Amino acid sequence: EDVKPFTPEKTKEIVMSLQQPAVFCNMVGNWPALHWNVEYLSAMLEGKTIQFRLGLKTVDLVPQFETSCSYVEATLEEFLAWSCGQPSSLSGPFSCYDYSKYWAYADYKYIARIFEDKPEIFQDVRWSDFGFPGRSGKESTLWIGSEGANTPCHLDSYGCNLVLQVQGRKRWHLFPPGDTSFLYPTRIPYEESSIFSKVNIANPDLKRFPEFRNSTAHVVTLSPGQVLLVPRHWWHYVESIDPVTVSINSWIELDADHEARVEEAITRMLVCAIKSAENPSDGDLWLNPTEVEATSHEINLQYLNKAVSAYLKCQQTSVSGQARSSSTGAKQRTNTSCKRKRKEVGCEPESCTLLTQECDFPASKAEELQKIPFGPHLIQVLPQSHKTSMMGAVAVESDGGDLLCENDGEHFGKLQCKRKRLLMSNDCETAAHQMDSDCSPCTSQTALSTNDLLDCLVNPRVISLVAQLLLERMRV
């Protein structure tokens, strides 16, 4: 019998209440998914090809967004041969990409889709141990990368994130929601539910982004068998530090997702309307490959109305439920939602109360942390001291290098949404750092660009205010 340090009920309470990142240990020892190394997955896929994103290992001052990467279709066997330097990779899909110069990442691979012909494998992932019965690999995502593979620093608009490390290690750089202004948020390139940072966390340009000095990094290396909790709206930059890494994650729906979905709908309307009006020949790769196309104003307006309607319905359901259960007028809870993209925003009200939290939050953060059972089975990801986290940053303007130290010990996610086909590029001459991080004009150019305007219009603070005004209008 596999005895776990926390019951499912206690684990769920921790996940739903903890507002800082933490690592769960000794919780997944009996999960069959722990055997999902690349060799095993390759055998399960039986020669099926998947898409890999390729980027340069060289560290530039600008983030390497998906719009500046190359893409290939390959089997896991071919990926493994390439990552091991085997001669067979010289003629395969990775032949144009020197392993010493490039990394490869098979990211956002929805297990329900890539193993649709083997549904029995879904049960290898058991999120029921974390208090979410019925949640398995079917509601999870697979990530397979080589050394150096990374996701640009971003925050996910919806939910919180549970990440199981299966093979190899990944280093996570996390920043609290309060650091948002220090990370220079941008929606270009645009991807629903992902707010990117203009700062390359691995090599920040402090001349251009001086406020990054004020950020507080929480850094942890996640090892196989450990599960990381990424709380809502925590920024994260993730990098594979071993030759091959495999991880599995699931985004957990939260009460605040409905309002976030309204904000995302407003953002989509503005970005699509303004960017679609530009000359398409200007070469501005503003749309992330995962979005494929800019939807019309009419479709975006329908999406906004559905998001607002779902928010109000779930709010009404939550209020009426409280009225029935208590005559003392307890605090109104925020509204739950399912983590889905725009085509699924009209979820039924009853499903929207699925994960409503059952306990009141402590009055203060200190009281809350006292109730969390930190110890060998639940490790806090502590903040770096300002001196430690920025000790190398001053030199970035000249020689770069690693900036953030990790503690001792040990992305925008879209659950069950249709991950659209990525743009393909097999051009061996295409560099993986073709464009500037925020697609803005050269710094010597003084004229404001469309992106300059958009950065202001869709700043998270502005969008939040607009969403509040819209919802107030609907309540009147």
Side-chain angles (χ1 to χ4, degrees), residues 340-360:
R340 299 184 177 94
K341 289 191 75 173
R342 59 187 178 277
K343 292 183 180 179
E344 300 178 286
V345 298
C347 59
E348 294 300 320
E350 56 267 27
S351 68
C352 295
T353 57
L354 178 63
L355 295 179
T356 299
Q357 300 165 27
E358 298 299 331
C359 56
D360 291 330

Side-chain angles (χ1 to χ4, degrees), residues 6 129 188 260 271 304 373 428 430 439 441 458:
F6 307 115
D129 287 339
I188 303 295
V271 172
L304 174 60
C428 300
T430 300
C439 306
V458 297

Side-chain angles (χ1 to χ4, degrees), residues 20-33:
Q20 70 175 73
V23 176
F24 287 93
C25 302
N26 308 311
M27 285 291 294
V28 298
N30 64 338
W31 287 24

Side-chain angles (χ1 to χ4, degrees), residues 192-255:
E192 185 187 351
S193 83
S194 290
I195 301 176
F196 293 103
S197 168
K198 294 181 185 179
V199 183
N200 184 352
I201 302 304
N203 190 26
D205 185 345
L206 296 179
K207 287 184 178 178
R208 189 175 181 189
F209 308 115
E211 289 298 312
F212 180 69
R213 297 177 188 270
N214 299 321
S215 64
T216 304
H218 297 60
V219 186
V220 65
T221 297
L222 202 65
S223 294
Q226 297 180 330
V227 176
L228 174 66
L229 166 64
V230 182
R232 180 176 187 264
H233 284 185
W234 272 72
W235 293 84
H236 45 285
Y237 166 82
V238 190
E239 181 178 6
S240 297
I241 60 174
D242 282 329
V244 175
T245 64
V246 176
S247 52
I248 298 168
N249 85 295
S250 191
W251 287 282
I252 307 299
E253 305 86 358
L254 296 176
D255 293 352

Side-chain angles (χ1 to χ4, degrees), residues 302-356:
Q302 291 175 15
Y303 178 37
L304 174 60
N305 277 283
K306 288 180 179 179
V308 170
S309 176
Y311 173 91
L312 296 175
K313 285 181 181 179
C314 288
Q315 184 179 56
Q316 183 179 13
T317 302
S318 179
V319 172
S320 60
Q322 289 179 18
R324 288 193 300 267
S325 63
S326 174
S327 59
T328 59
K331 277 184 187 175
Q332 178 180 333
R333 299 166 181 162
T334 51
N335 311 293
T336 53
S337 78
C338 310
K339 184 181 178 63
R340 299 184 177 94
K341 289 191 75 173
R342 59 187 178 277
K343 292 183 180 179
E344 300 178 286
V345 298
C347 59
E348 294 300 320
E350 56 267 27
S351 68
C352 295
T353 57
L354 178 63
L355 295 179
T356 299

